Amino acid sequence: MYSSTRIAICGAGPSGLSQLHAFESARQSGSQIPEIVCFEKQNDLGGQWNYTWRTGFDEYSEPVHSSMYHNLWTNLPKECSEYVDYPFDEHFGQPFPSFPPRSIFYDYIRSYAGKNNVRQYIQFNTVVQWISYSENKQKFHVQIKDLKKDKVRSEEFDYVIIATGHFSTPNIPYVDGIETFHGRILHSHDFRFAQDFIDKHVLLIGNGFSAEDISLQLYKYGAKSVTLSYRNKPKDFKWPDKIKEVPLVVKIDNEIVYFNDGSSETVHAIIFCTGYLYYFPFLDDNLRLKLSSNCFYPPNLYKTIFWLNQ
Amino acid sequence: MYSSTRIAICGAGPSGLSQLHAFESARQSGSQIPEIVCFEKQNDLGGQWNYTWRTGFDEYSEPVHSSMYHNLWTNLPKECSEYVDYPFDEHFGQPFPSFPPRSIFYDYIRSYAGKNNVRQYIQFNTVVQWISYSENKQKFHVQIKDLKKDKVRSEEFDYVIIATGHFSTPNIPYVDGIETFHGRILHSHDFRFAQDFIDKHVLLIGNGFSAEDISLQLYKYGAKSVTLSYRNKPKDFKWPDKIKEVPLVVKIDNEIVYFNDGSSETVHAIIFCTGYLYYFPFLDDNLRLKLSSNCFYPPNLYKTIFWLNQ
């Protein structure tokens, strides 16, 4: 039933699962499919949606993948996140809001994976450490670590699908004087609960989706004030009283933060909502995206999916 | 002046610098020495002592190495940290306390490095990604990444000295129910300032050196209370009123923490002072220490220094 072609899929999040689902559906329809192996470093499927209380490193000293916080709600209308081969109607059996909470969407993803029994293809607690391509062999050489057994091995594949996402490795720029700041500094990647900021003056650097959502959570859970520092232009929402937007932060001196309009604030905590980096440390140089900053259409990916050899 | 032998030193902290110093001293005395290359992933020397405000990842997405906090003072009598070839008297020129603060000791280390001009051997912002040994060639194959250029290369060495330390990768055990805790959870590796815990009830898990020092800092800076949970036995110090020791934490339910003597506490933050892991992800399996927990005398290291082939 399987051809001799081998395909590695890195990551069992929404995208990796979609690949697995497509191959398994083809197999169940009687097609011959390649041999598929999906490597997932976490102990379960779901990628970002596999929420964890941990920050920094996981129990195997791998960087924590998920940037989810406890009370995250999706920020895209649900229709943008629907699997074409698993309609929401089939899963939920009833209408539900456009912006579901994290746990509901996770339930949908897990059910999608369970429906077609794609777990059979996934090796959990298994991280891909290095991928290179051999022109001679016309194969990908993949170095894999079994985290539970603490054992490294190598395998060869004809194709590799990278489905590890790019909202895991935080971008944390330097701000002049930040080393003098005595409060908590974190990136939204490590934000888990708004309750920890009750009665605090909080500075959010950035005014994208994360800053928008986290500022409202901080407000709801009782932060004393929230200041959003934007790079280019303000959102100019009708923010609640306790939230305001200011221009870019230019300097920090102990607890005082200065902005480029000359204004300043005294704050207790700084949350960087400054986005994520394209980061594929397990890919050989000649297989890897190299971008100076985030962009929607990376130049070396045909249709933003297929890697073009240079 | 150099022999054809090549030696790689991984890490330019106190131990790596000591190696460099010894080789450079030999060279200055007229000895022929091997070619030495020291790879340091940080942008300066000092290892742990190169304090950073960052936690989690550095600007190149490498895990932050230093576990220092702003107000750290050394916890070994200074005599245990003296370089045999650079006496404290020579550096300081006057007596100084047994337990100096971080910045004083860092100054000593930097001066030691400067004295003999060992910077010439160090490649900064350069991380060792993978080391394997070729029996055929009788050489170590070392894969190195230049972080600034975002470029990977390989080199061969006759010997490799691992001087990366083992107080960088936190050990963070699971506690039943911890995912329900709504406050801040961190490991002492990510602790930077005690000021962030003013007026808070803080639980410290562990009662080793870090717990001892951090609990006193929290007390001094105005934490409302500090509870130390020990695994084996209490320190039984004459703690200040606001600090107390309790047995092992067994369960967490929202903000309430339960201990194995049946007692419980309501806390706002949890700091794991549960030590570090021997973690050398850049070493091939057969070159790597494999220990189930920390120990002082790893079985495969002769005199705790030289790796024994198995």
Side-chain angles (χ1 to χ4, degrees):
Chain A
M1 206 57 141
Y2 295 108
S3 73
S4 64
T5 304
R6 300 193 81 215
I7 299 183
I9 299 175
C10 305
S15 299
L17 293 173
S18 178
Q19 305 286 335
L20 291 173
H21 201 276
F23 281 115
E24 176 60 11
S25 297
R27 194 188 66 79
Q28 289 182 13
S29 309
S31 299
Q32 193 190 46
I33 66 165
E35 186 192 347
I36 309 289
V37 187
C38 178
F39 301 111
E40 169 54 55
K41 81 170 180 178
Q42 299 186 100
N43 61 3
D44 205 349
L45 49 80
Q48 277 290 346
W49 301 88
N50 184 15
Y51 172 82
T52 176
W53 59 277
R54 291 181 187 270
T55 57
F57 298 96
D58 68 16
E59 60 271 50
Y60 297 108
S61 305
E62 288 294 319
V64 164
H65 185 75
S66 184
S67 301
M68 294 270 156
Y69 36 92
H70 189 76
N71 291 313
L72 180 139
W73 290 54
T74 60
N75 60 12
L76 280 175
K78 67 175 191 290
E79 288 70 18
C80 300
S81 309
E82 189 171 31
Y83 285 114
V84 67
D85 45 4
Y86 188 52
F88 286 131
D89 279 352
E90 183 179 335
H91 178 68
F92 293 104
Q94 62 180 46
F96 75 109
S98 276
F99 301 94
R102 172 180 63 73
S103 52
I104 296 295
F105 194 71
Y106 184 44
D107 181 64
Y108 168 70
I109 294 169
R110 288 175 66 87
S111 175
Y112 174 67
K115 186 188 158 223
N116 235 350
N117 190 27
V118 299
R119 274 184 189 268
Q120 61 183 308
Y121 297 110
I122 309 172
Q123 297 183 13
F124 294 104
N125 301 300
T126 304
V127 66
V128 171
Q129 292 186 313
W130 191 249
I131 301 177
S132 56
Y133 185 70
S134 162
E135 289 288 351
N136 284 348
K137 291 187 178 177
Q138 299 273 304
K139 298 271 186 190
F140 288 94
H141 178 88
V142 180
Q143 178 180 303
I144 307 135
K145 184 176 181 187
D146 182 320
L147 296 167
K148 277 193 166 169
K149 291 183 183 157
D150 192 15
K151 197 82 194 161
V152 175
R153 70 180 193 277
S154 291
E155 294 188 20
E156 286 181 349
F157 291 91
D158 301 282
Y159 299 96
V160 170
I161 296 169
I162 305 295
T164 52
H166 54 93
F167 294 109
S168 268
T169 302
N171 170 46
I172 312 174
Y174 174 70
V175 180
D176 187 25
I178 193 168
E179 62 277 3
T180 67
F181 184 73
H182 291 184
R184 184 176 176 190
I185 302 170
L186 71 161
H187 187 276
S188 59
H189 172 65
D190 291 329
F191 179 84
R192 291 292 180 270
F193 289 98
Q195 288 92 321
D196 196 45
F197 300 89
I198 290 171
D199 282 339
K200 294 204 166 182
H201 294 288
V202 186
L203 169 69
L204 270 56
I205 300 180
N207 72 337
F209 289 125
S210 297
E212 183 187 329
D213 193 35
I214 291 175
S215 63
L216 289 169
Q217 291 221 4
L218 294 171
Y219 166 75
K220 287 178 196 163
Y221 280 94
K224 203 167 268 173
S225 77
V226 182
T227 304
L228 279 85
S229 164
Y230 57 85
R231 176 178 293 276
N232 298 315
K233 55 179 185 179
K235 290 263 189 226
D236 273 343
F237 291 160
K238 195 173 167 346
W239 293 105
D241 273 359
K242 289 179 177 177
I243 304 179
K244 70 172 175 186
E245 289 186 279
V246 299
L248 193 62
V249 56
V250 288
K251 187 179 159 63
I252 298 173
D253 183 6
N254 287 282
E255 79 274 40
I256 305 172
V257 181
Y258 297 89
F259 308 99
N260 75 4
D261 61 353
S263 68
S264 65
E265 289 284 331
T266 298
V267 299
H268 300 117
I270 297 174
I271 305 179
F272 280 93
C273 300
T274 38
Y276 293 88
L277 298 168
Y278 283 88
Y279 185 62
F280 305 98
F282 51 86
L283 288 176
D284 201 356
D285 276 18
N286 57 358
L287 301 173
R288 192 157 43 90
L289 285 177
K290 290 187 184 178
L291 303 166
S292 57
S293 64
N294 260 342
C295 67
F296 285 110
Y297 298 102
N300 300 321
L301 292 185
Y302 175 67
K303 295 203 172 191
T304 75
I305 292 183
F306 300 99
W307 179 251
L308 302 174
N309 272 341
Q310 288 177 295
Chain B
M1 208 56 145
Y2 295 108
S3 73
S4 64
T5 304
R6 299 192 83 214
I7 300 183
I9 299 175
C10 305
S15 300
L17 292 174
S18 179
Q19 305 285 334
L20 291 174
H21 200 276
F23 280 116
E24 176 60 12
S25 297
R27 195 188 68 78
Q28 290 182 12
S29 308
S31 298
Q32 192 189 48
I33 65 165
E35 187 192 346
I36 308 289
V37 187
C38 178
F39 301 112
E40 170 54 55
K41 80 170 180 178
Q42 299 185 101
N43 61 4
D44 205 350
L45 49 80
Q48 277 291 346
W49 301 88
N50 184 15
Y51 173 82
T52 176
W53 60 277
R54 291 180 186 270
T55 57
F57 298 95
D58 69 15
E59 61 270 49
Y60 297 109
S61 303
E62 287 294 317
V64 164
H65 186 75
S66 184
S67 301
M68 294 270 155
Y69 36 92
H70 189 76
N71 290 313
L72 180 139
W73 290 54
T74 61
N75 60 13
L76 278 175
K78 68 174 189 290
E79 288 69 18
C80 300
S81 307
E82 189 171 31
Y83 284 115
V84 68
D85 46 5
Y86 188 52
F88 286 132
D89 279 353
E90 183 179 336
H91 178 67
F92 293 104
Q94 62 180 47
F96 76 109
S98 276
F99 300 95
R102 175 179 62 72
S103 52
I104 296 295
F105 194 71
Y106 184 44
D107 181 64
Y108 169 70
I109 294 170
R110 288 175 66 88
S111 176
Y112 174 68
K115 186 189 157 218
N116 234 350
N117 190 27
V118 299
R119 275 184 188 268
Q120 61 183 306
Y121 297 109
I122 308 173
Q123 298 182 12
F124 293 105
N125 300 301
T126 304
V127 67
V128 171
Q129 292 186 312
W130 190 251
I131 301 177
S132 57
Y133 185 70
S134 162
E135 289 289 349
N136 285 346
K137 292 187 177 177
Q138 300 273 304
K139 298 271 187 192
F140 288 93
H141 179 87
V142 180
Q143 179 180 304
I144 307 134
K145 185 175 180 186
D146 182 320
L147 295 168
K148 277 194 165 168
K149 291 182 183 158
D150 192 15
K151 197 79 193 162
V152 175
R153 69 181 194 275
S154 292
E155 295 189 18
E156 287 181 348
F157 291 91
D158 300 284
Y159 299 96
V160 171
I161 295 169
I162 306 295
T164 53
H166 53 94
F167 293 109
S168 269
T169 303
N171 170 46
I172 311 174
Y174 174 71
V175 179
D176 187 24
I178 193 167
E179 61 278 2
T180 67
F181 184 74
H182 291 185
R184 183 175 175 192
I185 303 170
L186 70 161
H187 187 276
S188 58
H189 172 65
D190 291 330
F191 180 84
R192 290 291 180 269
F193 290 98
Q195 288 92 321
D196 196 45
F197 300 89
I198 290 171
D199 282 340
K200 294 205 166 183
H201 294 288
V202 186
L203 170 68
L204 270 57
I205 301 180
N207 71 337
F209 288 125
S210 298
E212 183 186 327
D213 192 37
I214 291 175
S215 63
L216 289 169
Q217 292 220 3
L218 294 171
Y219 166 76
K220 287 179 199 164
Y221 279 93
K224 202 168 269 172
S225 78
V226 182
T227 305
L228 278 86
S229 165
Y230 58 84
R231 177 178 292 276
N232 298 313
K233 55 180 186 179
K235 289 260 190 228
D236 273 344
F237 291 159
K238 196 175 168 336
W239 293 105
D241 274 359
K242 289 179 177 176
I243 304 179
K244 70 172 175 185
E245 290 186 277
V246 299
L248 193 64
V249 56
V250 288
K251 188 178 158 61
I252 298 172
D253 183 7
N254 288 282
E255 78 273 40
I256 306 173
V257 181
Y258 296 89
F259 308 100
N260 75 3
D261 62 353
S263 69
S264 66
E265 289 283 331
T266 297
V267 299
H268 300 117
I270 298 174
I271 305 179
F272 279 94
C273 300
T274 39
Y276 293 88
L277 297 168
Y278 283 87
Y279 185 62
F280 305 98
F282 52 85
L283 288 176
D284 202 356
D285 277 17
N286 57 359
L287 301 174
R288 190 155 46 89
L289 284 177
K290 289 187 182 178
L291 303 166
S292 56
S293 64
N294 261 340
C295 67
F296 285 112
Y297 298 101
N300 300 320
L301 292 185
Y302 174 67
K303 296 204 172 189
T304 74
I305 291 182
F306 299 99
W307 179 251
L308 302 174
N309 271 342
Q310 290 177 299

